[in-house]
Amino acid sequence: MVLALTVCGSVIALVVVGLFVFGLRRRLIQRSGGTFDCSLRWDAPEKPGKGEENGKGWGYGVARYNGDRIEWYRVFSYSPRPRRVLERSLIEVAGRRTPEGEEELALLSDAVILACLHRGNRLELAMSDDALTGFLAWLEAAPPGQRVNVA
């Protein structure tokens, strides 16, 4: 009986500590400001298909502006490093659209999807309309001499 209570207490303590670390990590990422909720799909299909595959591959995360880069962190991760880093001068915007089919369940309710190219990789970013406005303004505010491709 004592062993069962010890194991249950240990499991509960680990869960509480794990949740605390998730919250602390997110707070540290957001501390410097310039963050927004952003889902990312790397190696996105050229034309999203209708049906089950449409909602697959999305990762929920937080993006942070850092100079001429966007750092993207997965929400459900303990890593202090960004999962992806996108350089402003290498981002090409190919278009925007609204979520379709299964994507509506996989993404936040007010998301707008931005199709991009970065170093030859197709990717899609899903963010709120306000975050999209800020992202496009950040892209267009590149220093003189840098090429920016916004469709």
Side-chain angles (χ1 to χ4, degrees):
M1 182 70 166
V2 173
L3 179 63
L5 288 174
T6 304
V7 169
C8 287
S10 298
V11 168
I12 290 171
L14 283 174
V15 168
V16 169
V17 168
L19 291 174
F20 175 76
V21 171
F22 272 135
L24 179 64
R25 177 181 170 267
R26 182 163 177 141
R27 187 57 106 177
L28 290 173
I29 291 168
Q30 292 179 325
R31 182 175 57 176
S32 64
T35 61
F36 58 97
D37 291 332
C38 177
S39 296
L40 181 133
R41 178 159 61 173
W42 197 259
D43 292 329
E46 209 165 311
K47 295 206 179 201
K50 307 275 186 203
E52 291 182 18
E53 296 299 315
N54 201 18
K56 304 233 182 208
W58 287 101
Y60 182 62
V62 175
R64 176 173 68 181
Y65 296 107
N66 187 3
D68 284 337
R69 303 180 322 165
I70 291 248
E71 299 171 339
W72 185 80
Y73 297 84
R74 292 184 66 92
V75 166
F76 301 109
S77 171
Y78 291 110
S79 175
R81 295 181 181 201
R83 174 79 175 196
R84 301 281 183 197
V85 176
L86 307 175
E87 297 172 42
R88 177 172 20 200
S89 62
L90 300 176
I91 298 173
E92 296 180 38
V93 176
R96 76 173 83 173
R97 63 184 179 84
T98 56
E100 300 171 353
E102 297 283 324
E103 285 179 328
E104 292 177 8
L105 301 173
L107 301 173
L108 295 174
S109 62
D110 63 342
V112 177
I113 299 171
L114 192 66
C116 300
L117 288 169
H118 183 264
R119 295 183 187 240
N121 293 314
R122 295 189 55 78
L123 62 107
E124 292 179 325
L125 300 168
M127 59 191 84
S128 70
D129 207 22
D130 292 339
L132 176 64
T133 301
F135 180 78
L136 293 175
W138 175 78
L139 276 179
E140 292 175 358
Q146 283 191 2
R147 126 187 111 81
V148 176
N149 297 314
V150 178

